[in-house]
Amino acid sequence: MKAGVITFPGSNCDDDCRYSLEKSAGFEVQSIWHKESYLPPELDLIVLPGGFSYGDYLRTGAMAAVSPIMAAVKEYAEKGGLVLGICNGFQILCEAGLLPGALVKNQSYGFVCRDVVLEIASSNPWTQPLTQGTFLSLPVAHGEGRYVIEPPQCQELEEKGQILFRYKENINGSTQQIAGITNRGKNVCGMMPHPERASDLRSHDGLKIWNAIGAILRERK
Amino acid sequence: MKARVHIFFKESVLDPQGSTVASSLQRLGFSKVKEVRMGKVIDLILDHQLPEEARKDVAKMCEKLLVNPVIESYRVELLEK
C-alpha cells in the first residue's frame, strides 16, 4: 500500500503521519511538497496532515486550499481515490470544497490539547469493523475545531451516514458534537483528532483508523 | 483605486468574540449595546481604471479566496484612493 503525505509550509504533523503510516500501518510513504502540480503515480491514499499551514493566515486552511497540489488532489478525489485530512488537513479539505461545512475558532477561544472520547456515529468504511455506538480515545490539539454547517446540510450528513465521529463531551462547540465526517462518496474523510499520535505503545486507537483504511484498500483490490 | 472588503460571520454562525466584547461593554455601563459582531476588513490597492471592472474582479477574489461563503458574508466598498 502506498500513501502520499503532503507538506504545506507550516504543516507540523507530516513526519508523525509518515512515521505512523510506515511503522504502524505498513504503508510505503512518499512525501509530497505542496508546490508540486502532479501526484506520484499509483497512490492508494493521500494524507493532508495537521499543523498551521500558512500560519493560519486569512482562515485556517484557506491558503493551502489554493496551493498548486490541490488541483491534483481534487482530481484524485473525484476519481474516487482515498483522501484523509487530519486537523489542519480537515480544515484544508473543507476550504477546498472537498468536504461540506467549515471549521472556526473553538467556542471557548482556547486551544484544546488532550485525549478525548469519540463515539462512532455511523457504520462507515473509515472505522470498520467498529460499529455505531463504539467509543475510541484519540488526542486532539486545535484552536479552530468548531465544526459549523447549516441545519439542512447537517441533516443530510446524518441521513447519508457521513458523520464519522462525535465528541462524547463537546470540547469546542461543534454542531452536533461532530469531530469527523466523510464526503458523500465516502472516499474523502476529515477528522480533528490525530490517529497518527495514537498508533504505538501508548495507545492503539489510532491504529484502528489505519487498519480500517487498509481494509478499504484490500476490498478495492 | 482602493477596494475595501468587509467580512462578517453569517448570522447563523456563533461569534464568541463578539459576545464577549458585548458583555464587557455592558459591564462598562453601555447598557444599550444589544449585540457585537466581530469581522475583518481587507484593503486592496488596485490598478483598475473602471469601477465596474474592479467590482467584478473583487467579487471573484472574494469567491475564490477572501471569503468562505459557508460561514461568511461580505460587502465591497470602492474608495477613490
Side-chain angles (χ1 to χ4, degrees), chain B residues 1-29:
Chain B
M1 193 177 300
K2 189 151 108 178
R4 183 163 285 172
V5 186
H6 302 259
I7 303 167
F8 285 93
F9 274 136
K10 286 182 182 173
E11 285 295 325
S12 56
V13 179
L14 182 76
D15 174 16
Q17 198 182 182
S19 325
T20 308
V21 171
S23 48
S24 290
L25 285 171
Q26 286 154 358
R27 211 169 45 242
L28 287 169

Side-chain angles (χ1 to χ4, degrees), chain A residues 58-59 62-63 66 95 101-102 104 107 109 146 148 150, chain B residues 9 12 14 16-17 40 42 65-68 70-72:
Chain A
L58 192 64
R59 295 177 307 276
M63 315 297 271
V66 293
E95 279 285 341
V104 296
Q107 194 168 336
Y109 260 60
R146 173 163 51 115
V148 290
E150 299 282 342
Chain B
F9 274 136
S12 56
L14 182 76
Q17 198 182 182
K40 51 191 165 190
I42 302 174
L65 180 67
L66 300 180
V67 177
N68 182 344
V70 175
I71 45 170
E72 296 168 323

Side-chain angles (χ1 to χ4, degrees), chain A residues 1 25-27 44 82 128-129 208 210-221:
Chain A
M1 300 184 292
F27 276 84
D44 298 305
L82 294 189
Q128 63 181 308
K208 291 176 183 165
W210 298 151
N211 290 340
I213 294 171
I216 301 175
L217 293 172
R218 277 192 304 277
E219 280 161 23
R220 286 184 167 199
K221 276 175 183 170

Side-chain angles (χ1 to χ4, degrees), chain A residues 163-174:
Chain A
I163 303 174
L164 207 55
F165 312 111
R166 283 196 174 94
Y167 303 106
K168 194 174 173 212
E169 172 200 347
N170 202 350
I171 55 160
N172 52 24
S174 290

